[in-house]
């Protein structure tokens, strides 16, 4: 079953990436709260990073980069789990027909 899960993940990865791009685009167009919070987050992180001594600037950049990578992994896993849940639900519904 592990190979099946990995195959599903590999097949869905481009679809998930594209869907996340569309979702973020939709958020930026329709959710003013999201845009405000994202801008505030960027501003606050910039203030923190700029208040650091020069020799720690790179560390702040690396921290932000790692946080973005973690977020991307979580987003992909959530989407993949949603697909798995949908397949399982569809399978369960077909059993009871």
């Amino acid at each position: 079953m592990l190979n099946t899960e990995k195959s599903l993940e590999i097949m869905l990865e481009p679809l998930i990436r594209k869907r996340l791009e569309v979702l973020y685009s939709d958020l930026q167009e329709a959710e003013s709260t999201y845009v405000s919070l994202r801008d505030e987050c960027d501003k606050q992180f910039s203030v923190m990073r700029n208040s650091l001594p020069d020799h720690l600037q790179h560390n702040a950049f690396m921290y932000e980069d790692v946080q973005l990578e973690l977020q991307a992994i979580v987003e992909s896993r959530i989407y993949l789990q949603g697909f798995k849940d949908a397949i399982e639900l569809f399978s369960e519904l077909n059993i009871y027909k």
Side-chain angles (χ1 to χ4, degrees):
M1 175 108 178
L2 185 58
N3 286 338
T4 304
E5 287 183 21
K6 197 62 172 170
S7 297
L8 179 64
E9 186 175 342
I10 290 168
M11 289 183 339
L12 290 176
E13 197 256 321
L15 177 64
I16 291 169
R17 192 174 339 113
K18 181 63 179 168
R19 187 65 184 129
L20 286 169
E21 288 172 9
V22 170
L23 284 171
Y24 276 114
S25 177
D26 290 349
L27 274 172
Q28 291 178 19
E29 292 175 14
E31 287 290 331
S32 60
T33 303
Y34 171 80
V35 173
S36 296
L37 289 171
R38 185 204 58 212
D39 291 347
E40 183 64 22
C41 183
D42 290 346
K43 177 183 162 196
Q44 293 301 324
F45 193 81
S46 179
V47 168
M48 287 188 301
R49 186 176 53 237
N50 291 334
S51 67
L52 292 172
D54 289 344
H55 70 281
L56 294 176
Q57 294 286 325
H58 181 71
N59 293 85
F61 172 78
M62 294 303 294
Y63 174 80
E64 186 176 26
D65 191 49
V66 169
Q67 286 296 318
L68 292 172
E69 290 292 325
L70 287 171
Q71 181 180 341
I73 290 169
V74 169
E75 290 166 351
S76 292
R77 292 293 173 185
I78 289 169
Y79 239 95
L80 182 61
Q81 188 59 51
F83 279 111
K84 289 178 183 177
D85 292 345
I87 290 169
E88 185 176 333
L89 178 61
F90 182 74
S91 177
E92 290 291 323
L93 290 173
N94 280 332
I95 289 173
Y96 294 112
K97 281 187 172 182

